[in-house]
Amino acid sequence: MGFFTDTSVCIGCKACEVACKEWNDVPTSGLDLLGMSYDNTGALTANSWRHVAFVEQPAGCSDAAPGPDPVGSGSQFLGMPGARPPGRETGVGQRTDFRWLMMSDVCKHCTEAGCLDVCPTGSLLRTEFGTVVVQEDICNGCGYCVSACPYGVIDRRADDGRAWKCTLCYDRIGAGLTPACAQACPTESIQYGPLEELRGRAEQRVGVLRSQGVSGARLYGHDPADGVGGDGAFFLLLDEPEVYGLPPDPVVPTRRLPSMWRRAGVAALAMAAAAVVAFVGGSS
């Protein structure tokens, strides 16, 4: 089971943020405006398991724009929204032509989860739904999982040091309910269900958008052959991943551990053999 987030219909209402905090009793920190559009949390943290990102792009920075700037590096802060609609005082001719790219970000529940691989206490586990959750009662706050996440999702709370992140509402889906964020989303930007079904639905949606001229529509985190084995929470984006603050090619850092241990074993055997040879040669 997993999430498919269609950013093309996200309106940035933050209903998902509120529903997540209310259902999971997540602390209310992270509710202050940051001076960056309507973004109030800035990133996923131990106290913000859903983060609605707002990316402002002036005209000319869209996916269809020609030139060497495919990731919208010309994006700029356009100022905080005024009390009245744009152009109300200045007229239509003075309105700023820009677009908002909105995305409700969340833990990706990776198929190959680095946080799960490095946890020394077994606090992190894979559920029967294929999701990854933290058992906070046995987390020792070591922080290994924080550095092992290629998305920078998992985080520790300052007051207790333990790691916290989205559980994909494990208690709700275990009872046959929809996760709180998806239940609260008014536009169905956040969709929950079996991953294969969601992937098929996402491919169709990309086809529809491209047929309507949205050439930048693409899926992120849906490919089982990527660096994390595919995500349990994937996205339909309207621009490059970097524009949304997502890594373009995430790779789980523990993927090469087997080969590294094999090489270390070979090196250890070689050193042991050399020591034996030196000892035998010296005694003779």
Side-chain angles (χ1 to χ4, degrees), residues 68-160:
D69 186 22
V71 298
S73 61
S75 298
Q76 63 187 58
F77 177 52
L78 301 176
M80 290 297 293
R84 307 187 69 189
R88 183 61 60 86
E89 289 83 9
T90 59
V92 176
Q94 298 299 315
R95 289 183 180 178
T96 302
D97 186 12
F98 71 96
R99 69 172 181 174
W100 266 334
L101 300 178
M102 303 174 187
M103 180 193 70
S104 180
D105 198 8
V106 72
C107 171
K108 313 307 182 290
H109 293 275
C110 308
T111 300
E112 298 177 23
C115 59
L116 183 66
D117 291 340
V118 302
C119 180
T121 65
S123 172
L124 281 137
L125 62 84
R126 178 86 58 187
T127 73
E128 66 270 30
F129 302 104
T131 60
V132 179
V133 301
V134 182
Q135 301 174 99
E136 63 272 10
D137 56 331
I138 58 175
C139 175
N140 67 359
C142 68
Y144 294 166
C145 56
V146 176
S147 58
C149 176
Y151 296 101
V153 166
I154 197 162
D155 185 33
R156 292 187 296 171
R157 284 185 186 159
D159 57 351
D160 67 11

Side-chain angles (χ1 to χ4, degrees), residues 165-192:
K165 72 174 191 66
C166 163
T167 66
L168 217 145
C169 284
Y170 178 67
D171 52 346
R172 288 180 63 89
I173 63 179
L177 301 175
T178 300
C181 56
Q183 183 72 39
C185 182
T187 63
E188 296 186 356
S189 170
I190 303 171
Q191 302 176 35
Y192 164 77

Side-chain angles (χ1 to χ4, degrees), residues 9-282:
V9 294
C10 177
I11 59 174
C13 66
K14 301 191 186 73
C16 54
E17 286 188 5
V18 175
C20 176
K21 282 182 176 290
E22 288 186 344
W23 180 263
N24 295 290
D25 197 24
V26 178
T28 55
S29 61
L31 298 179
D32 299 323
L33 287 174
L34 304 178
M36 300 166 51
S37 183
Y38 286 111
D39 195 329
N40 63 300
T41 51
L44 293 170
T45 68
N47 294 333
S48 296
W49 299 358
R50 273 277 178 186
H51 165 234
V52 178
F54 288 74
V55 180
E56 296 179 348
Q57 285 188 332
C61 292
S62 69
D63 58 286
D69 186 22
V71 298
S73 61
S75 298
Q76 63 187 58
F77 177 52
L78 301 176
M80 290 297 293
R84 307 187 69 189
R88 183 61 60 86
E89 289 83 9
T90 59
V92 176
Q94 298 299 315
R95 289 183 180 178
T96 302
D97 186 12
F98 71 96
R99 69 172 181 174
W100 266 334
L101 300 178
M102 303 174 187
M103 180 193 70
S104 180
D105 198 8
V106 72
C107 171
K108 313 307 182 290
H109 293 275
C110 308
T111 300
E112 298 177 23
C115 59
L116 183 66
D117 291 340
V118 302
C119 180
T121 65
S123 172
L124 281 137
L125 62 84
R126 178 86 58 187
T127 73
E128 66 270 30
F129 302 104
T131 60
V132 179
V133 301
V134 182
Q135 301 174 99
E136 63 272 10
D137 56 331
I138 58 175
C139 175
N140 67 359
C142 68
Y144 294 166
C145 56
V146 176
S147 58
C149 176
Y151 296 101
V153 166
I154 197 162
D155 185 33
R156 292 187 296 171
R157 284 185 186 159
D159 57 351
D160 67 11
R162 293 178 296 172
W164 301 82
K165 72 174 191 66
C166 163
T167 66
L168 217 145
C169 284
Y170 178 67
D171 52 346
R172 288 180 63 89
I173 63 179
L177 301 175
T178 300
C181 56
Q183 183 72 39
C185 182
T187 63
E188 296 186 356
S189 170
I190 303 171
Q191 302 176 35
Y192 164 77
L195 277 176
E196 289 306 314
E197 177 184 325
L198 292 176
R199 288 188 179 116
R201 194 183 306 170
E203 293 283 0
Q204 292 180 1
R205 178 62 178 161
V206 169
V208 168
L209 288 173
R210 289 181 177 173
S211 69
Q212 296 174 349
V214 186
S215 60
R218 71 203 70 195
L219 294 179
Y220 178 84
H222 72 297
D223 185 4
D226 66 13
V228 295
D231 292 326
F234 65 100
F235 304 81
L236 187 156
L237 305 179
L238 300 180
D239 210 324
E240 298 285 350
E242 298 95 320
V243 173
Y244 296 86
L246 296 170
D249 188 21
V251 178
V252 60
T254 54
R255 172 170 282 193
R256 298 184 177 88
L257 275 180
S259 61
M260 292 169 61
W261 279 114
R262 283 196 296 270
R263 292 174 183 175
V266 170
L269 289 174
M271 291 178 63
V276 170
V277 170
F279 178 77
V280 173

